[in-house]
Amino acid sequence: PRLPVPVPGGGPPAAPWATLRVMMRALVPRAHAAVRLSSGCRGSSSHVASKGLLERLREGPVVGDGGQVFLMEKRGYLRAGPWTPEATCEYPEGVYNMHREFGHAGCDVHQVFSFYASEDKLANRGNEAAAKHGVTKINEEGCKLARRAADEYGGIMAGGICQTPSFLSGASKEAVQEEFHKQCRAFKKGGVDFLIAEYYEHVTEMEWAIEAAKQYGIPVAAFMCINKHGDLHGTTAAECAKRMAGAGADLVGINCHFDPFVSLECMEVMKTALEGAGHMR
């Protein structure tokens, strides 16, 4: 039970290999393992809904949703290519129905439909979502829809930030973190219960995301899309794990790109590194 296993994302070009996210029992205050399991259907509960992420993790597994981007693209609510979630403004009932279906399937965490919803991505390569709706509205409307479903099914709500075109273009730390803050401010206003930093291929940007997210006073889960060999700059998976925990992540894990067996190998490397560095006891 102490062996972590991978966590999927909501990913675009590199698809997640499953559609549910679960975060396993929290092992220590600073860094925890992440796990994905399946779950049966469950109804709403005001008592359960009052519990936050870390409190739930101390009691056992927490099941999340995931795979939102491909699911919504297949239903015609999202364009392949940009993979951005302006559907929160244009097709709110479609987004809400997606959240309800995840709730009916048994998820505990309802993630705001906000993957690739940083302002620079919404305006990237001719995308008109930023000009038409704006980063704040897309994320705020997403919060309203996820909260409706979370309240209905007794779950909690998470807002997510992911890698940015700004970082890949060589922008400064301040500029990249401002992209994260634009989303996080909307999440804070929308009342998310915790933040997810996911789908990062470079540990430096991962650290910047965690640092920005931690400023909002709620738990932060951090997931990179790497294998046991590490990130795209050659930083080992062990070092990535230690740097993620060192930046302040409450949960450390991985998502996307690889199959369960490759991902499990990576999680073993990360867990060993975290234990050796004193982040897990």
Side-chain angles (χ1 to χ4, degrees), residues 114-146:
S114 60
F115 193 89
Y116 271 176
S118 60
E119 187 172 50
D120 57 350
K121 182 62 179 177
L122 295 171
N124 192 42
R125 298 179 180 178
N127 192 346
E128 299 177 353
K132 186 175 181 180
H133 301 291
V135 60
T136 300
K137 184 176 181 181
I138 289 173
N139 286 279
E140 286 184 350
E141 292 302 310
C143 287
K144 295 175 185 177
L145 298 168

Side-chain angles (χ1 to χ4, degrees), residues 9-84:
W17 44 265
T19 59
L20 291 180
R21 175 185 296 111
V22 178
M23 285 157 265
M24 78 177 274
R25 186 183 185 109
L27 298 176
V28 294
R30 290 188 59 198
H32 308 293
V35 64
R36 174 174 51 202
L37 303 171
S38 61
S39 174
C41 300
R42 50 169 74 88
S44 61
S45 167
S46 59
H47 173 69
V48 173
S50 65
K51 298 179 181 179
L53 173 66
L54 300 183
E55 184 180 3
R56 290 170 182 243
L57 285 169
R58 283 189 285 269
E59 297 178 355
V62 176
V63 183
D65 57 13
Q68 297 176 340
V69 169
F70 282 153
L71 186 154
M72 295 299 280
E73 188 272 336
K74 290 176 180 177
R75 294 181 176 182
Y77 293 116
L78 176 149
R79 287 188 300 143
W83 304 104
T84 48

